[in-house]
Amino acid sequence: MHQHEHASHGPLAGFTVGVTAARRADELGALLERRGAAVQHAPALRIVPLADDAELLDATKALVGHAPDVVVATTAIGFRGWLEAADGWGYGEELVDRLRGAQVLARGPKVKGAVRAAGLTEEWSPASDSMAEVLDRLLGQDLTGRRIALQLHGEPLPGFVEALRAAGAEVVVVPVYRWMPPEDLAPLDRLIDATVGRSLDALTFTSAPAGASMLARAQDRGLLPELLDALRHDVLAACVGPVTALPLQAHGIDTVQPARFRLGPLVQLLCQELPSRARTLPVAGRRVEIRGHAVLVDGDLRPVPPAGMSLLHSLARRPGWVVSRADLLRALPGAGRDEHAVETAMARLRSALGAPKLIQTVVKRGYRLALDPGADAKYADAP
């Protein structure tokens, strides 16, 4: 590690990260940009409140008519949304009255705030925001014949309701929001194309429906096999937690998740994972780290245009080996058949790197990365 590598760029400089979130996307994007990443955002879904929805009205009436023993408040925005909708229908006071007689479990501190703002007191709240802990807490009681109101937020909770019913509880599901595809699909399509084209280094998912929605859209466009191939091999899928990862894992995609299911730890995880996956090579006495749209040369960040990155990836696939102009031409996006395009892109690449000796021209044969002697053995058999 060189002395001057410290703060001229963030740990994610040179990487492009896709954000699929509908809620809190700006917050996640800002966290990523602050660490140097380029961010491409496309909401993979939208959350629609159900104020006009018969299901929420039916659940509310059912609980006003027959009070629950237990209430599980899952999200602050959802819990507030439910009480506001009940107010709108003229059931607000009665509903709060019924909930006051119940044991209220609030998933995490934000939800606790919403419960208290409604004039209710939670009996218990996990330290971790974990629905698994809420479930364990409930299953630790005798649930035979207990009536449980479960406020959902958009996404179903796999296995949660089934486990409670299997333990003898009667569960009234309170759906406050529904996930829908985004109204404008163009940004999501661009994000899918960027993933398939490998111009993204990572994709972040903060809800299970976002992953499911993106996969469904790719399938509609006939691009699902290409999207899965990109996510299995080249584009890192980073999920905020294990529930979010389920739709991706069902398609055989390996995902990474932070130990704490929060946006901050998700970004920290990317700060470790992406640099560790970048290729670092000793070339012409320099330390060269190849990132998504930039290269670190001895710790200095050098942005490189897409054509140059394509050439560099081809040269780095077998470092030190000569790659012919014809092979390099095939690697250039949309270059056609003129090998002169390789020379133009190569000249731009060399000037972008600011160190012309990194890439050698081998007369009549092509180009090679000037891998340092002694490094050959280590990299010769690289895939």
Side-chain angles (χ1 to χ4, degrees), residues 230-244:
L231 289 170
R232 283 176 189 146
H233 300 114
D234 300 300
V235 180
L236 177 66
C239 297
V240 77
V243 173
T244 296

Side-chain angles (χ1 to χ4, degrees), residues 104-174:
V104 180
L105 305 183
R107 181 194 71 130
K110 272 200 192 152
V111 193
K112 198 155 60 171
V115 166
R116 291 184 182 178
L120 300 165
T121 311
E122 78 290 345
E123 177 179 294
W124 176 81
S125 177
S128 67
D129 259 17
S130 147
M131 281 307 276
E133 262 188 71
V134 176
L135 184 59
D136 288 344
R137 172 94 180 182
L138 285 167
L139 295 175
Q141 310 173 11
D142 180 8
L143 294 181
T144 314
R146 304 268 284 166
R147 187 167 167 83
I148 300 176
L150 172 63
Q151 170 256 314
L152 289 179
H153 183 83
E155 62 199 275
L157 300 160
F160 198 91
V161 174
E162 293 82 346
L164 294 175
R165 286 187 176 140
E170 180 194 349
V171 183
V172 180
V173 172
V174 182

Side-chain angles (χ1 to χ4, degrees), residues 68-86:
D69 301 302
V70 181
V71 180
V72 179
T74 308
T75 58
I77 188 174
F79 192 74
R80 281 198 302 270
W82 178 25
L83 298 186
E84 281 163 17

